[in-house]
């Protein structure tokens, strides 16, 4: 279980780090032109997108750094919960926009972040 949680955590960290950096440094018009599934960014102000990006980067860091550094590893499950909340909003947004494929993908990320949260809170916590 611990190995599965680490693998999923590392994958989620990469996804949220990449996504967050994109929201911070890629202009929203350019991001929207990359794919149809990215047009949602035009629904938000640039400052809001940057805030989401910062939260994703902080969440990604919170998934791995506390455990790897051995400093307050109890922060890993709350970081996973925070990312699950972000993904809950993403799923709601996709459903409202009528984007079922993107909603399923975001729902997958939601399920994985929830799995890490439950796994680190109850199944394989870092502290006794």
């Amino acid at each position: 279980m611990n190995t599965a949680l680490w693998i999923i955590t590392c994958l989620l960290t990469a996804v949220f780090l990449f996504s967050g950096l994109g929201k911070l440094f890629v202009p929203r018009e350019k991001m929207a032109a990359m794919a149809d599934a990215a047009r949602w960014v035009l629904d938000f102000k640039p400052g809001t997108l940057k805030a989401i990006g910062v939260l994703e980067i902080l969440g990604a860091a919170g998934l791995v750094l506390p455990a790897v550094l051995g400093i307050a590893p109890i922060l890993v499950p709350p970081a996973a919960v925070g990312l699950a909340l972000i993904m809950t909003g993403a799923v709601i947004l996709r459903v409202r926009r009528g984007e079922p494929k993107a909603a399923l993908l975001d729902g997958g990320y939601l399920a994985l972040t929830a799995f890490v949260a439950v796994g680190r809170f109850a199944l394989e916590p870092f502290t006794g």
Side-chain angles (χ1 to χ4, degrees):
M1 181 60 71
N2 189 44
T3 302
L5 286 166
W6 270 113
I7 291 169
I8 292 168
T9 298
C10 290
L11 292 173
L12 287 173
T13 298
V15 167
F16 284 109
L17 189 59
F18 180 74
S19 175
L21 289 171
K23 288 177 185 77
L24 275 181
F25 298 111
V26 177
R28 70 183 186 139
E29 291 77 17
K30 185 174 180 181
M31 195 181 307
M34 289 180 185
D36 287 339
R39 292 182 193 222
W40 67 269
V41 298
L42 298 175
D43 294 347
F44 293 90
K45 295 179 181 178
T48 305
L49 288 176
K50 291 192 186 311
I52 294 169
V54 167
L55 290 173
E56 288 178 348
I57 292 168
L58 290 173
L63 284 178
V64 292
L65 289 180
V68 169
L69 298 175
I71 301 172
I74 194 70
L75 294 176
V76 172
V81 169
L83 290 171
L85 291 172
I86 289 173
M87 294 316 299
T88 300
V91 170
I92 291 169
L93 174 83
R94 299 298 194 162
V95 169
R96 286 185 177 173
R97 287 180 53 89
E99 300 173 347
K101 289 180 184 176
L104 283 174
L105 180 64
D106 289 343
Y109 290 132
L110 169 60
L112 290 173
T113 55
F115 175 72
V116 170
V118 170
R120 290 305 180 197
F121 268 128
L123 303 176
E124 286 283 337
F126 287 116
T127 57

